[in-house]
Amino acid sequence: PAAVVVKGDLSQDGQPDEWAAFEACYRPAFGDRLHVVRGNHDAYHGQTAYAGDQRIELPGVVVALLDTVIPERTTGTVTAAQLDWLDDLAATADRPVLVMGHHQQWLPGTANDHRSADYFGLHPDASDALAGVIARRTRIVAYTAGHTHRHRVRHMAGGVPSIEIGCVKDFPGTWAEYRVHEGGIMQVVHRVSSPAALAWSERCRHLYRDFGVDYETYALGGLEDRCCNIRLR
């Protein structure tokens, strides 16, 4: 791959030994191609490791990696300064821009996603502001996030996709590949393939069953949520 992007929650509690284990696993394999931003689990005690936004220049695409963390909180946001940074990046980009961050957007009209200050993902006001930048800058082709441990594709006004990708650590144990072509970007979700990883994933297939949650359906989503084409604008 040209780049490997980790969108946060590389640890359980942001402890040095957890980060060291992550680096020992991934850094030797990918080196400078590995790009990491923190998630809420990495900053529950106010830690700043892996903080900050990143511009990643790749053949055919620019990845704008946003730090959406509010230290010591589960929920996320993007600040006015971050939105200005993204706006400038998209205004000057000479190729499509794929925006990534840890927290998923709040979008109007989504079932069970009620507008509230404690929304589990990006604060609704920040989500609206992000959608505003994306509507204005047609170089931006999608926003893709983690955090929810599920696969889901929704759309902002104008049809730009807002995508959630499942996690590697529990069922179904997945990661997303992005193949960049002249006419668009293809998202292909892969399942982990080693026997040990699959065995662990299967143990997590029925998480929250005692609470009446069908985690398998929640996490998998539909095929169209996992594998899709992202059109250029």
Side-chain angles (χ1 to χ4, degrees):
V4 175
V5 181
V6 179
K7 303 191 301 292
D9 283 3
L10 47 147
S11 70
Q12 167 64 24
D13 201 38
Q15 298 304 307
D17 60 325
E18 296 173 331
W19 286 329
F22 170 85
E23 288 286 340
C25 180
Y26 288 97
R27 191 67 65 180
F30 300 115
D32 291 341
R33 294 176 295 163
L34 182 66
H35 305 272
V36 185
V37 74
R38 61 183 176 171
N40 53 289
H41 276 272
D42 307 312
Y44 274 148
H45 304 290
Q47 303 99 313
T48 58
Y50 304 103
D53 306 324
Q54 302 172 47
R55 177 176 183 147
I56 306 167
E57 297 273 355
L58 300 169
V61 69
V62 176
V63 174
L65 185 57
L66 294 174
D67 179 356
T68 62
V69 164
I70 304 173
E72 303 179 10
R73 297 281 300 276
T74 298
T75 56
T77 193
V78 283
T79 66
Q82 288 178 288
L83 293 169
D84 287 343
W85 173 83
L86 178 62
D87 189 70
D88 290 342
L89 182 155
T92 58
D94 62 354
R95 65 199 74 180
V97 177
L98 186 58
V99 184
M100 296 185 178
H102 181 67
H103 293 84
Q104 84 285 4
Q105 273 181 293
W106 177 89
L107 288 179
T110 303
N112 300 319
D113 283 353
H114 305 296
R115 188 181 189 105
S116 65
D118 60 352
Y119 175 66
F120 182 63
L122 286 179
H123 190 285
D125 291 346
S127 295
D128 288 346
L130 176 61
V133 173
I134 292 172
R136 181 166 62 253
R137 300 301 182 190
T138 57
R139 281 293 189 185
I140 301 177
V141 295
Y143 175 69
T144 173
H147 192 52
T148 57
H149 298 206
R150 75 186 306 181
H151 297 94
R152 181 169 64 161
V153 177
R154 298 170 295 159
H155 292 87
M156 292 170 256
V160 179
S162 186
I163 301 168
E164 295 161 55
I165 301 297
C167 67
V168 297
K169 81 169 188 68
D170 59 48
F171 182 82
T174 51
W175 55 277
E177 174 190 5
Y178 292 95
R179 302 177 184 175
V180 179
H181 300 273
E182 290 87 349
I185 300 171
M186 179 185 296
Q187 174 181 293
V188 182
V189 166
H190 300 266
R191 196 174 189 201
V192 294
S193 56
S194 74
L198 282 171
W200 178 267
S201 171
E202 286 300 316
R203 290 180 60 186
C204 305
R205 182 184 286 267
H206 300 295
L207 286 173
Y208 310 122
R209 180 167 53 187
D210 292 346
F211 300 94
V213 175
D214 182 0
Y215 189 78
E216 181 176 357
T217 300
Y218 165 88
L220 276 173
L223 177 60
E224 66 279 4
D225 294 304
R226 299 190 299 276
C227 300
C228 58
N229 292 324
I230 300 170
R231 297 180 298 173
L232 305 186
R233 300 167 66 195

